[in-house]
Amino acid sequence: MPEDVKVIVIGDSSVGKSSLLKRLAGEDFVEVQESTVAVEYYHRQWKVRRKDINLQFWDTAGQERFRNLIPRYYANSHVAIAIFDISNKASFTSLEFWIQELKRYAPSDCKIILIGNKADLKEKRQVSPKDKLPWTSESKHPKIIEISAKTLKKPNSILDSIASEGLAV
Ligand code: GTP
Ligand code: MG
């Protein structure tokens, strides 16, 4: 039996959560991705360190009108992926809110992965790869992975990272 790893994906509306998850689940990128209503579910079988894993992705809506629905989905999460858009500084600043929510509602051993999406929009970049979350100490700062849901060739290495974090819980 594969081991279940529950992953919750959070971040402001339009940072590319659904676009990235579709790529991770094996689908193609689409320019016109509809904004998520409440929560959607994706899953992907993956193998890491010879272990079969069922990655369960919970894709949450970033729009404010759904905010009070999201907290219940944090329960039992092994990994949280907080996403911002490198071409939108406000979405990076919002991580403070998202990580507070995570600390409040997710299990205390839930692992955090930070992703800067839309890395293909280099000429519109508003967040430097060196930018740090101001409220987090250097030693506890999660690594930021830059990615583009649009130009991503193979999702293998990101799936490996997520699965490894999930197994480490
Ligand atoms: P909500 O569901 O409202 O929370 O938004 P979301 O975070 O799921 O964003 P979504 O995946 O719907 O993407 C928003 C828009 O950004 C869509 O038009 C996507 O096509 C576009 N987009 C997503 N990822 C990328 C990327 O890596 N590069 C570029 N250029 N556009 C992207
Ligand atoms: Mg979405």
Side-chain angles (χ1 to χ4, degrees):
M1 276 286 279
E3 188 168 330
D4 288 331
V5 167
K6 180 177 173 184
V7 183
I8 180 151
V9 184
I10 51 178
D12 278 4
S13 181
S14 111
V15 296
K17 298 180 295 299
S18 305
S19 302
L20 181 62
L21 286 179
K22 284 190 164 172
R23 297 299 318 277
L24 297 184
E27 293 178 40
D28 291 334
F29 178 79
V30 290
E31 291 287 347
V32 187
Q33 171 61 46
E34 286 192 10
S35 191
T36 306
V37 172
V39 172
E40 279 184 63
Y41 176 76
Y42 298 86
H43 67 100
R44 174 95 190 230
Q45 303 291 332
W46 200 245
K47 200 170 194 144
V48 82
R49 286 183 252 127
R50 278 191 246 132
K51 263 199 147 150
D52 285 315
I53 293 171
N54 182 35
L55 288 169
Q56 307 174 324
F57 293 111
W58 293 88
D59 177 19
T60 67
Q63 287 187 51
E64 298 236 11
R65 62 196 171 107
F66 299 114
R67 289 257 152 111
N68 57 358
L69 286 176
I70 311 301
R72 71 189 74 161
Y73 292 95
Y74 287 91
N76 307 317
S77 293
H78 302 101
V79 181
I81 304 181
I83 306 190
F84 65 96
D85 165 358
I86 67 144
S87 70
N88 176 352
K89 181 86 183 184
S91 71
F92 184 73
T93 310
S94 290
L95 289 178
E96 179 165 16
F97 167 79
W98 291 111
I99 291 173
Q100 267 172 9
E101 291 280 285
L102 180 65
K103 297 246 152 87
R104 197 162 159 201
Y105 299 112
S108 59
D109 56 359
C110 180
K111 298 285 185 355
I112 304 178
I113 295 178
L114 289 187
I115 290 186
N117 188 38
K118 307 199 188 183
D120 59 293
L121 300 179
K122 287 205 169 56
E123 69 291 355
K124 293 193 179 153
R125 182 188 279 282
Q126 292 182 355
V127 183
S128 152
K130 294 198 187 97
D131 282 358
K132 293 278 188 299
L133 304 174
W135 69 94
T136 306
S137 70
E138 189 76 32
S139 63
K140 286 193 181 154
H141 202 289
K143 201 176 118 208
I144 296 177
I145 301 171
E146 284 202 0
I147 210 169
S148 164
K150 184 171 181 174
T151 59
L152 181 71
K153 296 250 162 21
K154 277 193 178 166
N156 297 21
S157 74
I158 177 90
L159 286 164
D160 282 344
S161 306
I162 298 166
S164 305
E165 289 291 347
L167 283 185
V169 175

